[in-house]
Amino acid sequence: MFMQVPLLKIDGMKLVQSQAICRFLARKHGLDGVTIEDKARVDMINEGARDFLSKYFPIGFAPNTDEVKNEIKTKHFSRFLPIFEKTFKTMVGSLPRIKAYMEGPQRKGVPTPEYVQHCTSVLY
């Protein structure tokens, strides 16, 4: 449609736009909530995640990427991550399908220090 990526080919459709893909997959797999209140919570979390990720966009274009990375670490991590953790535990974690996933065998364990170090070296 817009000749761009990401592109998801699924069920005979070609979906573009990352948020449209996320919403489609959530709806397809019953992860978008049952009640209108559940759906609103999922939307709030999705929009909050989008706000958080948008802080990374300047990295590719900023003349001083270290400055942008430092701002993300010092300002945005402390603002967004505690809210995501609390929200996930109290709102999203109580949705039956998400709770089943989080408690199931497919979920990976707590990240090891080596994994965290590797991710940090890739991101920073």
Side-chain angles (χ1 to χ4, degrees), residues 14 41 77:
K14 293 180 182 178
R41 288 183 191 105
F77 277 8

Side-chain angles (χ1 to χ4, degrees), residues 55-119:
K55 306 305 180 193
Y56 284 88
F57 296 157
I59 289 176
F61 305 100
N64 185 348
T65 58
D66 290 337
E67 194 174 296
V68 175
K69 290 177 186 177
N70 188 48
E71 182 179 343
I72 291 169
K73 282 193 261 186
T74 59
K75 184 177 176 185
H76 303 300
F77 277 8
S78 62
R79 176 178 173 208
F80 285 94
L81 298 183
I83 294 169
F84 287 141
E85 182 177 17
K86 179 182 176 186
T87 301
F88 189 83
K89 286 180 180 176
T90 59
M91 293 180 180
V92 179
S94 65
L95 294 173
R97 300 269 317 251
I98 293 176
K99 185 175 182 178
Y101 172 81
M102 295 305 291
E103 294 172 354
Q106 69 283 357
R107 182 167 189 274
K108 296 181 179 177
V110 176
T112 63
E114 294 81 14
Y115 177 76
V116 172
Q117 182 178 8
H118 172 73
C119 292

